[in-house]
Amino acid sequence: MSLRHALVFGATGHIGQWLVRELLHQGVTVTAAVRSEDSFHRLADWLARHDADGTAKHVLVNFNDAGLGVDPGSDEFRTVTEVHNVAGAFAFGMTADDAYSANVTSAERVVRFASQLPALTRLVHLSGYRVGGQDPNEVPWDDSRRAREYKHLGAYEGSKVESDAVVQATARSLGVPFTVVNPASVIGDSVNGESRQGLGLAASVMDLSRGKLPALPGNNRTFVPVVTVDYLASFMALVPITSEAENASYWVLDDATPPLPELLRMLGKHLKVRVPWLRIPSALLKRLPPKLTGADPETLSFLSEERYPTAAALALAEAHGLHHPPVETALKRWADYLVAAEPAASGRRVASM
């Protein structure tokens, strides 16, 4: 019987449910921090349908309360050894205030709550591949910097950048041992493609499947990396028991992800749909009006040629027998799932609280 007890914030979201399932498979006691009884029942039903080994407990939390509406000294938290924070809002078009509340204030409150748990050995915080690695010494941001960053990056990405710095700074000031995980675009399960994400790359895949993608964005160096949700869950379940991961950040993505135009051509051929012959360089796409491109301006910063420092994450994973599944197979299974689930996914905005 494992001595680990994980408290998972955001347990009902796309990433959170797979993380809970993986922890249960490893024999970890899991408490899901959820907003309502209904959301927990949906999680429990999903776990039962996905052969989870055991069941999770749950506790109701209120992110609008500075103390999350719960007492860290109560018996239900006495044995918690690790806290996973995958809560937050993944949505474009948010106001700056909403993004700050969902992704900065909530994350800081989780860190402060974790600092009061007597048996805590690790806090694991989910950040992002384009926002990780921020300088905690620059916290707190003043209002002018926040306004500038949120306007330049968009409210979602700006809030994730600030959150990354705030989590590190708060954890260090309170003596909370932490690991930050920076995943790429999280696609479906490597086995069956199952996914709940409808934004970002998923939206481009759906436009392609409907014949509504006017052109292939980017060039042969445009890199929008992916990671399967089950691999990410396994990595997150690994780091709390790995001493070298304490107070470290890891970029978790598959470097073998094809360049974006090649990725979309491959999926178009697999789905047997027309693939646009026209290609639009990222720089030009960013200058064109959204009405013409059909792209949300906040998504365009992801059209980048940058590469990311994945060596440490790969070394840690491979040392424990964790390997990325074949990326093209995973992408095809994900695309198949998205297309099959389209009626249910239409118009979905994803939040992981």
Side-chain angles (χ1 to χ4, degrees):
M1 182 68 179
S2 174
L3 297 178
R4 296 169 64 185
H5 180 180
L7 175 63
V8 181
F9 291 87
T12 61
H14 173 52
I15 297 169
Q17 62 188 11
W18 287 96
L19 173 59
V20 170
R21 178 178 181 266
E22 177 62 26
L23 290 166
L24 290 172
H25 278 179
Q26 294 189 18
V28 179
T29 299
V30 178
T31 299
V34 298
R35 290 179 177 271
S36 68
E37 294 287 349
D38 285 347
S39 63
F40 175 72
H41 291 319
R42 288 193 295 272
L43 172 63
D45 288 345
W46 185 91
L47 291 168
R49 295 195 309 271
H50 290 75
D51 301 321
D53 188 4
T55 58
K57 301 184 288 186
H58 73 288
V59 61
L60 298 182
V61 295
N62 178 8
F63 280 97
N64 294 322
D65 184 271
L68 301 177
V70 288
D71 178 8
S74 63
D75 286 345
E76 58 197 327
F77 303 119
R78 182 174 50 82
T79 60
V80 169
T81 56
E82 60 199 68
V83 171
H84 294 263
N85 182 27
V86 293
F90 176 27
F92 300 124
M94 290 187 289
T95 66
D97 286 345
D98 285 346
Y100 180 84
S101 176
N103 291 327
V104 182
T105 302
S106 65
E108 181 178 359
R109 287 174 175 172
V110 168
V111 178
R112 294 190 179 281
F113 179 83
S115 72
Q116 302 174 72
L117 300 177
L120 185 79
T121 59
R122 191 72 54 84
L123 165 72
V124 182
H125 175 72
L126 193 75
S127 188
Y129 78 111
R130 287 189 52 77
V131 302
Q134 301 303 315
D135 186 353
N137 295 315
E138 295 181 359
V139 172
W141 288 11
D142 59 30
D143 290 343
S144 62
R145 176 174 181 180
R146 182 174 300 113
R148 183 173 66 252
E149 295 284 358
Y150 284 34
K151 181 178 180 180
H152 172 64
L153 297 171
Y156 165 70
E157 190 171 356
S159 68
K160 292 295 289 184
V161 167
E162 184 174 11
S163 176
D164 186 88
V166 166
V167 165
Q168 294 182 69
T170 307
R172 290 180 178 182
S173 70
L174 297 175
V176 176
F178 67 91
T179 304
V180 177
V181 177
N182 302 310
S185 297
V186 181
I187 63 171
D189 173 53
S190 65
V191 177
N192 62 21
E194 181 178 345
S195 174
R196 288 171 53 190
Q197 296 283 30
L199 297 179
L201 184 58
S204 295
V205 173
M206 292 309 303
D207 284 344
L208 176 68
S209 73
R210 301 182 191 114
K212 294 183 178 180
L213 190 68
L216 295 176
N219 58 39
N220 290 335
R221 297 180 302 278
T222 303
F223 186 53
V224 180
V226 301
V227 60
T228 63
V229 69
D230 50 322
Y231 179 96
L232 176 60
S234 296
F235 188 91
M236 293 187 69
L238 168 65
V239 293
I241 55 173
T242 308
S243 59
E244 66 218 66
E246 184 173 325
N247 299 340
S249 296
Y250 293 96
W251 277 255
V252 183
L253 55 95
D254 194 331
D255 285 311
T257 306
L260 183 59
E262 181 184 331
L263 184 158
L264 291 171
R265 276 196 298 267
M266 180 266 292
L267 291 182
K269 182 178 179 181
H270 170 71
L271 295 171
K272 297 181 173 58
V273 297
R274 182 187 65 84
V275 178
W277 59 268
L278 179 65
R279 290 171 56 168
I280 302 181
S282 302
L284 175 59
L285 190 60
K286 293 173 183 178
R287 292 197 295 268
L288 293 174
K291 287 185 178 179
L292 181 60
T293 65
D296 190 307
E298 287 192 54
T299 68
L300 299 181
S301 65
F302 290 85
L303 299 178
S304 169
E305 298 179 12
E306 293 180 37
R307 293 279 172 160
Y308 305 92
T310 57
L314 284 172
L316 179 65
E318 291 178 358
H320 292 82
L322 178 60
H323 305 281
H324 284 288
V327 66
E328 291 196 4
T329 300
L331 282 163
K332 290 174 182 177
R333 289 173 176 171
W334 175 58
D336 287 340
Y337 185 91
L338 290 176
V339 171
E342 180 177 7
S346 179
R348 177 179 294 150
R349 291 166 66 105
V350 176
S352 58
M353 283 188 176

